[in-house]
Amino acid sequence: MSDKAALDDDEEKQVDAYENVPSSVIFEAIRRAGDHELSRPISALWWSGVAAGLAISTSVLCKGFLASILPHADWASGISNLGYTVGFLIVILGRMQLFTENTITPILPLFLAPTRANFAQTARLWGIVFAANLIGCVAAALVLVNGHILPDARFQGILDVSRHYAEATPFQHFAWGIPAGFLIAALVWILPRMESGGEVLMIVIVTYVIGLGGMSHVVAGSTELFVLVASGELGIVAAVFGGIVPAFAGNVLGGTGIFAALTYAQVREEI
């Protein structure tokens, strides 16, 4: 057999092995990752969460940049939402703590052992990461509004996309947060099976769909709301209870209440 034929045969075997990975193996990989996250010290979770809040804000920046140079046409969002993927690429590939990823990762250990201690650990993780994400979003918004670090035309694009996000009602943020939470949880489930090149493509596809669909992602959306608060266009109470809390509830329902629960149901007899 030639070297090329042997190489092709090895690659085909690798693909077959990759495609035949059972769901129970994926479940176990994510469960172990969840155990690791639950055991991390507070300071590590906090600073990783703050970094994620800052980094996810680049999704708003890049989407705003593209929106500022595109005409007001129906097709423009198909291009501007490519910018929405940037922050997610940075956060996920950088292994930062993003709250919506944690709607599945630490939940799988909890499903296996729903003890009081595990509930407390999960609540600790969620509380730290979500608060840290919001602090990062607040810091990014304050710098954007008061730091004058962008040309006026580009900053106007950020304001435009932020205003569009803030126009949704609390119920709409909740409803639109459900598919966003589901898709992020699905992305976390899929990524362990992806190779490095495929991982990037999958992140881009899933987060592009979230942006294009106008879904409510609680962390990225918080930056948009805080930009308007810092600009004096929106009150903090309206931002928190009209956008952040409903989107939070929708993301949790979609990620934990639907995707994670269904994932556990399909493998519980195998683990």
Side-chain angles (χ1 to χ4, degrees):
M1 181 182 294
S2 68
D3 290 342
K4 183 179 184 303
L7 182 60
D8 290 343
D9 186 56
D10 288 342
E11 288 178 348
E12 184 175 343
K13 289 178 180 179
Q14 289 175 0
V15 170
D16 289 341
Y18 169 75
E19 290 180 344
N20 292 322
V21 173
S23 295
S24 58
V25 174
I26 304 300
F27 181 96
E28 181 62 17
I30 297 175
R31 185 198 65 77
R32 291 184 180 183
D35 282 337
H36 172 71
E37 296 301 332
L38 289 168
S39 66
R40 293 184 69 186
I42 291 176
S43 61
L45 292 171
W46 175 262
W47 291 114
S48 182
V50 171
L54 286 166
I56 203 71
S57 299
T58 59
S59 286
V60 181
L61 264 70
C62 295
K63 182 177 179 179
F65 292 165
L66 290 171
S68 70
I69 63 175
L70 292 170
H72 295 286
D74 291 340
W75 55 264
S77 63
I79 298 176
S80 63
N81 278 293
L82 289 171
Y84 191 75
T85 69
V86 174
F88 289 93
L89 283 167
I90 296 172
V91 169
I92 296 173
L93 295 179
R95 302 297 186 260
M96 301 173 191
Q97 287 287 343
L98 185 65
F99 171 75
T100 45
E101 289 186 86
N102 284 308
T103 57
I104 181 172
T105 307
I107 297 301
L108 300 189
L110 182 62
F111 282 165
L112 282 178
T115 64
R116 182 179 299 179
N118 284 345
F119 271 108
Q121 278 191 307
T122 303
R124 165 186 172 272
L125 176 65
W126 275 20
I128 294 169
V129 171
F130 187 58
N133 286 168
L134 292 185
I135 291 297
C137 293
V138 169
L142 290 174
V143 170
L144 285 172
V145 174
N146 301 313
H148 305 291
I149 61 173
L150 298 174
D152 289 342
R154 300 296 170 261
F155 180 65
Q156 187 60 48
I158 295 171
L159 284 177
D160 289 341
V161 299
S162 299
R163 289 167 183 149
H164 179 72
Y165 183 82
E167 288 173 356
T169 66
F171 178 77
Q172 287 173 328
H173 279 304
F174 169 73
W176 298 345
I178 296 172
F182 185 94
L183 286 171
I184 292 295
L187 179 61
V188 174
W189 180 260
I190 292 168
L191 287 182
R193 299 185 64 172
M194 305 299 296
E195 297 177 349
S196 57
E199 186 178 39
V200 171
L201 180 60
M202 186 56 62
I203 295 170
V204 170
I205 291 173
V206 172
T207 57
Y208 175 73
V209 168
I210 291 173
L212 186 63
M215 303 173 199
S216 295
H217 184 275
V218 65
V219 184
S222 292
T223 297
E224 295 173 283
L225 295 173
F226 288 139
V227 163
L228 297 179
V229 171
S231 301
E233 297 187 23
L234 185 68
I236 186 64
V237 173
V240 172
F241 294 101
I244 295 174
V245 171
F248 173 92
N251 288 170
V252 170
L253 178 57
T256 299
I258 299 177
F259 188 87
L262 291 174
T263 297
Y264 175 69
Q266 71 169 320
V267 301
R268 64 180 179 177
E269 300 298 331
E270 303 176 272
I271 56 178

